[in-house]
Amino acid sequence: MIRSLIVGSGSALPKRAVPNAELARQVDTSDEWIVERTGIRNRHIAGEGETTASLAAEAATKALEAAGIAASDIGLIVLATATPDQTFPATATKVQDLIGARGGIAFDVAAVCSGFLYALATADSMLRAGMAKRALVIGAETFSRILDWEDRTTCVLFGDGAGAIVLEAREVADEGFAGPGVLYSQLHADGAHNELLYVDGGPSTTGTVGKLRMKGKEVFRHAVTNLADVLRAVLAETGLSPHDVDWVVPHQANARILDATARKLGLPAEKVIVTVDRHANTSAASVPLAFDVGVRDGRIKPGDLVVFEAMGGGFTWGASVVRM
Ligand code: UT7
């Protein structure tokens, strides 16, 4: 059978790091409030010349280096973002040009914070269908450019960055869920909650880019419920127990969401890769960024069972079970 294997990862952050104390000089907030309510201590903010495409291309280049694969061998680029460089063309095509990949398929996926999960499941399906042999799956964002920097309830929560993985289609023995690769993904959407997390502009409505608006408390409640449900579902479908999981790589929105979700599933906190303290919420970039941190610091190793999960605007949410 054909499975999509993760053969490399990379990530990129803007040069400028912004600690909570710096934000406390701009809006009525404090390091204490931000740390206590979110776990965030720092975020990176894109400067001049740093864009979603440039960060994505840097992350993709590092992922290709880690995989030992040339850009010319990539037949598919799926890039998840809610902050594209331009309304069109797709940022994926810009990345394709920046990294020197020619030909093949390149497009963006818009599922906000769940974007990487949507992109991963899409790329995996296309690889298994034989549409390409190797894919770059990227989550990249510059949320700093859609934040209302006078709204303390949102501007302290987000950061910029990018993460990328290389997926390769390989013929593997049919060992069910014991083998390597992307084993199972589940995606969900519920458009009834648009007004809880959205951007108040767009090309077809206001003709402007707009700013992010969020009713945080309500989003928090939905996030914990939806994430616990989808994690339980992917484990049930694959016949795995929380005990079998080596690492959970969650969307990094709030340390309290990570704790509450892990507790609901009986997963020890030590199995959760946490980067929200240093990166804040980087939307579609947060899962691949955290994954790359876990791989490069030696925690995530070959053979490990990794579960990705995310929830975001739409609402959209999902989870994937992957054996390294
Ligand atoms: O990535 C997509 C998914 N997004 C999320 O998952 C985000 C989910 N939501 C959250 O993470 C949390 O709800 C927040 C971090 C956004 C807010 O935490 P909270 O514990 O739910 O606080 P709250 O909204 O209930 O606000 C508590 C108080 C309020 O003051 P009053 O009304 O009690 O006087 C806020 O005005 O904290 C105030 N507050 C702040 N104070 C200092 C809100 N933001 C700030 C701030 N600094 N930055």
Side-chain angles (χ1 to χ4, degrees):
M1 67 188 303
I2 295 175
R3 279 246 165 90
S4 313
L5 273 63
I6 299 181
V7 294
S9 68
S11 57
L13 291 163
K15 280 183 212 64
R16 184 172 157 234
V18 177
N20 292 344
E22 194 174 326
L23 296 182
R25 290 195 288 274
Q26 293 165 30
V27 286
D28 181 16
T29 190
S30 64
D31 178 49
E32 294 71 28
W33 190 94
I34 301 171
V35 172
E36 191 193 312
R37 306 311 295 164
T38 72
I40 297 166
R41 295 176 185 276
N42 183 70
R43 75 282 294 137
H44 288 254
I45 301 293
E48 209 180 319
E50 290 176 320
T51 69
T52 295
S54 76
L55 293 167
E58 187 184 334
T61 300
K62 288 179 183 164
L64 289 170
E65 278 165 18
I69 284 172
S72 53
D73 290 331
I74 293 295
L76 168 67
I77 301 176
V78 187
L79 186 146
T81 191
T83 46
D85 276 29
Q86 293 152 273
T87 303
F88 79 81
T91 302
T93 60
K94 231 173 148 173
V95 172
Q96 185 191 37
D97 185 48
L98 285 170
I99 65 173
R102 293 285 173 273
I105 306 161
F107 61 96
D108 290 356
V109 161
V112 207
C113 297
S114 319
F116 183 76
L117 273 296
Y118 270 68
L120 177 63
T122 304
D124 171 44
S125 303
M126 291 175 74
L127 289 187
R128 285 188 289 112
M131 294 183 75
K133 179 100 178 73
R134 293 183 196 87
L136 267 168
V137 185
I138 308 170
E141 303 277 17
T142 43
F143 259 46
S144 63
R145 301 208 164 118
I146 56 163
L147 293 175
D148 176 350
W149 285 100
E150 289 175 4
D151 175 11
R152 68 173 184 171
T153 69
T154 53
C155 76
V156 303
L157 303 174
F158 296 90
D160 302 333
I165 60 168
V166 179
L167 278 185
E168 185 169 88
R170 290 222 192 123
E171 189 72 44
V172 296
D174 187 355
E175 302 172 75
F177 296 118
V182 180
L183 303 179
Y184 182 75
S185 298
Q186 204 174 88
L187 302 175
H188 297 274
D190 179 359
H193 301 291
N194 254 279
E195 81 294 350
L196 297 181
L197 177 50
Y198 64 100
V199 167
D200 63 4
S204 176
T205 48
T206 57
T208 61
V209 172
K211 299 287 181 213
L212 181 146
R213 307 290 171 204
M214 176 164 74
K215 297 202 172 81
K217 229 180 184 45
E218 283 91 333
V219 175
F220 191 108
R221 268 203 307 274
H222 284 279
V224 175
T225 308
N226 291 342
L227 289 172
D229 286 352
V230 75
L231 283 169
R232 268 191 214 105
V234 295
L235 291 177
E237 289 291 334
T238 50
L240 297 161
S241 77
H243 183 73
D244 298 314
V245 175
D246 293 298
W247 300 105
V248 180
V249 184
H251 171 49
Q252 311 281 325
N254 185 322
R256 289 188 294 135
I257 296 179
L258 306 190
D259 292 344
T261 310
R263 233 185 354 260
K264 271 192 157 201
L265 268 102
L267 278 159
E270 308 83 69
K271 286 188 172 185
V272 183
I273 306 270
V274 180
T275 53
V276 67
D277 52 333
R278 43 187 148 150
H279 299 157
N281 181 347
T282 58
S283 183
S286 86
V287 169
L289 248 171
F291 175 72
D292 189 50
V293 166
V295 168
R296 285 177 193 263
D297 69 18
R299 277 180 289 175
I300 300 174
K301 293 182 285 301
D304 280 357
L305 191 81
V306 179
V307 179
F308 298 117
E309 49 101 320
M311 142 98 190
F315 290 139
T316 54
W317 66 101
S320 286
V321 181
V322 179
R323 198 179 304 279
M324 298 298 296

